[in-house]
Amino acid sequence: MELKSTAFKAYDIRGKVPEEVNEELAYRIGRVFPTLFNAKKVAVGHDIRLSGPAIQRALELGLTEMGCEVIDIGQCGTEMIYFATAHLGLDGGIMITASHNPKEYNGLKLVRKEARPISSDTGLKDIEEKVMAGDLGTPAATPAKVIEVDIMKDYVEHLLTYVDTKELKPLKVVVNSGNGAAGPVIDELEKVLPFNFIKVYNQPDGNFPNGVPNPILHENREATAKVVREEKADLGVAFDGDFDRCFIFDENGDMIEGYYIVGFLAKAFLNKNPGAKIIYDPRLIWNTIEIVEEAGGTPIMCKSGHAFIKDRMRKEDAVYGGEMSAHNYFKDFSFCDSGQITWLLVAELLSQSGTTMSALIKERMERYPISGEINSTVADPKGVMAAIEEKYGATGTVTKVDGLSVDYDDWRFNLRISNTEPVIRLNVETRGDKALLKEKTEELLAVIRG
């Protein structure tokens, strides 16, 4: 099969099957991984995509030919590979997934010891060079074995350490797994939690009969929202395909922006860990900073992207990190992101509150209203960034931790160029002024879109 380097992204390997991601690519990655990362034992698993098992077999062939033992955990979510790698003390882990992409895609997410991410600046470029050049190393005299391990019991036990199950109320919870990999985990949690689960699209199915498991798409949200309203549920939870992200819905079926969940969880961690450090990304910041400082914690800004957040959390020994994109990271989960831990913590906070989900978040949403991330396709992204900086930079405070942020007393915005397409992403927030939010968002979009 022909190989294309277009599958190699900043943080993972991802593309169409078989044009960009195929068994030959997986086999070659299996051959170069052990040498580059001195790996003797590696966890491997796949999500629900139909191409997953064949790609996994090819990957395992490459790994075992190099004398690297494979711990095969089968069908799973990305965070289960993170867990297996750290929990079993392995030298690395490889997850076969394309997350929320359409069904004709697949890919690989790779980690080293302690589930540390492998991205373009920590080895992914080295893998790409060797794979594309066919520099596959010398096979071991004796191939290693593939050992099948069921990690589910240990993984679920670990998830339950994040909440006090005695504090949990018999909430009615709608869970939409989107026919992705989350369903079997929800089935296991149902056995030990007091919640009344109403399951939507719970059966894993790589044909995606109910659409791509990507709740961030507006057209996909109603499947969860409708059931929440019909069942008069207390909480709605929707997962993407590999469930490293979850999306929270209140009792009215309204999806809560990931930004507000960051502040919500930060406060919960600071209640249990006084004075701790909390990592947040630069796109939307005021709500998080205020909550963390009021709770006695230290807010630390970090460039968005899981590799950056995880690295900064380790350096700062931060207890929690959150991105507005619904990625939430936990120190006790090897500083990795987990959709399951996120919703469990939200459910615990809701149980303890004695009120509704909308009431818990309403005040924060009114205090710091946001535009939501707005994408614009432009011919010259760098030119647009320069024009925006020239127009707004002179009168506001400029920071460039991630793209361009400009702060004023009562409003601010962040503008970023996509890594993969000619798209600019805009986020705007104000201090309680929805009219100003609308005005400034429209003003910025007029400049961006010409």
Side-chain angles (χ1 to χ4, degrees):
M1 286 181 184
E2 186 187 350
L3 296 183
K4 295 180 181 176
S5 64
T6 50
F8 286 84
K9 313 297 184 188
Y11 303 120
D12 59 8
I13 298 155
R14 195 171 4 104
K16 279 191 173 180
V17 178
E19 300 96 308
E20 295 174 293
V21 172
N22 51 48
E23 291 159 53
E24 177 63 24
L25 178 71
Y27 169 73
R28 291 190 181 198
I29 289 167
R31 284 287 297 269
V32 304
F33 188 93
T35 307
L36 278 173
F37 300 99
N38 192 27
K40 303 290 188 287
K41 286 188 179 184
V42 171
V44 176
H46 62 87
D47 70 9
I48 67 318
R49 290 166 191 275
L50 302 179
S51 57
I55 288 172
Q56 179 165 333
R57 285 192 295 273
L59 173 69
E60 289 176 345
L61 179 62
L63 289 164
T64 54
E65 280 185 6
M66 299 303 285
C68 180
E69 186 174 281
V70 171
I71 306 301
D72 175 5
I73 69 167
Q75 184 182 289
C76 61
T78 295
E79 64 188 66
M80 293 174 75
I81 284 288
Y82 298 156
F83 175 75
T85 303
H87 180 68
L88 300 175
L90 307 178
D91 302 312
I94 302 176
M95 175 66 186
I96 297 157
T97 178
S99 185
H100 56 276
N101 287 95
K103 67 179 180 181
E104 63 269 21
Y105 284 74
N106 214 330
L108 299 95
K109 292 182 180 178
L110 304 94
V111 294
R112 295 173 289 159
K113 277 184 181 174
E114 302 175 326
R116 291 174 183 256
I118 296 172
S119 54
S120 55
D121 55 351
T122 54
L124 200 54
K125 279 211 178 342
D126 300 324
I127 293 172
E128 180 184 359
E129 283 173 15
K130 287 186 178 295
V131 163
M132 297 311 294
D135 180 6
L136 307 183
T138 307
T142 308
K145 291 178 180 172
V146 176
I147 300 169
E148 292 184 8
V149 174
D150 185 353
I151 203 77
M152 182 70 82
K153 182 174 177 289
D154 288 358
Y155 165 67
V156 168
E157 282 179 3
H158 182 80
L159 293 180
L160 295 173
T161 65
Y162 290 85
V163 293
D164 182 351
T165 52
K166 295 189 294 294
E167 291 270 312
L168 301 176
K169 300 286 196 305
L171 302 174
K172 190 180 273 194
V173 183
V174 170
V175 180
N176 185 348
S177 297
N179 300 116
V185 180
I186 295 302
D187 290 342
E188 290 302 313
L189 287 169
E190 186 177 31
K191 297 172 185 175
V192 291
L193 294 175
F195 304 141
N196 174 11
F197 284 99
I198 297 122
K199 301 174 193 173
V200 180
Y201 308 151
N202 198 65
Q203 190 61 33
D205 188 340
N207 289 300
F208 296 169
N210 298 291
V212 181
N214 182 10
I216 214 157
L217 299 175
H218 282 271
E219 61 268 27
N220 287 0
R221 296 179 188 182
E222 185 58 22
T224 307
K226 180 171 177 284
V227 181
V228 168
R229 292 192 297 267
E230 287 173 354
E231 296 284 345
K232 295 185 168 50
D234 300 294
L235 183 69
V237 183
F239 292 100
D240 64 0
D242 64 335
F243 70 82
D244 57 356
R245 291 185 300 164
C246 79
F247 299 82
I248 304 296
F249 293 74
D250 68 17
E251 76 283 359
N252 303 311
D254 294 325
M255 198 179 99
I256 298 166
E257 289 281 353
Y259 173 43
Y260 300 111
I261 297 296
V262 175
F264 194 56
L265 293 184
K267 188 175 182 183
F269 275 101
L270 288 166
N271 288 342
K272 297 175 183 178
N273 304 271
K277 294 174 180 175
I278 304 291
I279 307 294
Y280 63 96
D281 75 283
R283 288 169 283 186
L284 296 165
I285 66 171
W286 280 343
N287 182 61
T288 307
I289 291 170
E290 183 174 275
I291 286 175
V292 171
E293 289 180 343
E294 284 179 356
T298 304
I300 298 171
M301 185 190 287
C302 174
K303 186 174 180 178
S304 55
H306 81 105
F308 299 112
I309 300 274
K310 290 169 182 175
D311 186 50
R312 189 66 184 273
M313 282 182 73
R314 285 180 189 276
K315 283 179 181 165
E316 301 286 353
D317 196 33
V319 69
Y320 164 71
E323 293 184 89
M324 58 155 278
S325 57
H327 283 284
N328 294 283
Y329 307 83
F330 307 97
K331 176 184 174 180
D332 292 338
F333 197 65
S334 306
F335 300 96
C336 290
D337 38 336
S338 165
Q340 297 289 352
I341 295 169
T342 297
W343 87 262
L344 286 169
L345 287 167
V346 169
E348 180 185 48
L349 289 164
L350 181 59
S351 294
Q352 293 166 341
S353 72
T355 185
T356 61
M357 194 68 219
S358 62
L360 280 173
I361 297 288
K362 183 170 181 280
E363 191 247 335
R364 301 313 307 185
M365 290 172 69
E366 289 176 351
R367 197 173 180 89
Y368 294 106
I370 61 172
S371 62
E373 189 156 88
I374 302 168
N375 294 332
S376 302
T377 302
V378 294
D380 179 15
K382 287 182 179 174
V384 171
M385 291 285 280
I388 292 286
E389 184 173 0
E390 186 179 355
K391 181 173 172 62
Y392 293 94
T395 52
T397 304
V398 173
T399 53
K400 294 185 178 180
V401 174
D402 194 356
L404 171 71
S405 294
V406 182
D407 288 44
Y408 298 87
D409 289 342
D410 51 358
W411 75 286
R412 68 178 295 278
F413 71 89
N414 171 267
L415 199 62
R416 297 162 65 242
I417 299 174
S418 165
N419 285 327
T420 54
E421 50 194 339
V423 165
I424 279 191
R425 309 190 196 283
L426 173 68
N427 283 281
V428 187
E429 64 183 318
T430 69
R431 296 190 190 276
D433 192 334
K434 288 184 179 175
L436 181 65
L437 177 71
K438 184 173 185 290
E439 175 198 329
K440 292 300 180 183
T441 301
E442 289 174 355
E443 185 183 292
L444 281 156
L445 288 174
V447 179
I448 292 166
R449 295 172 178 175

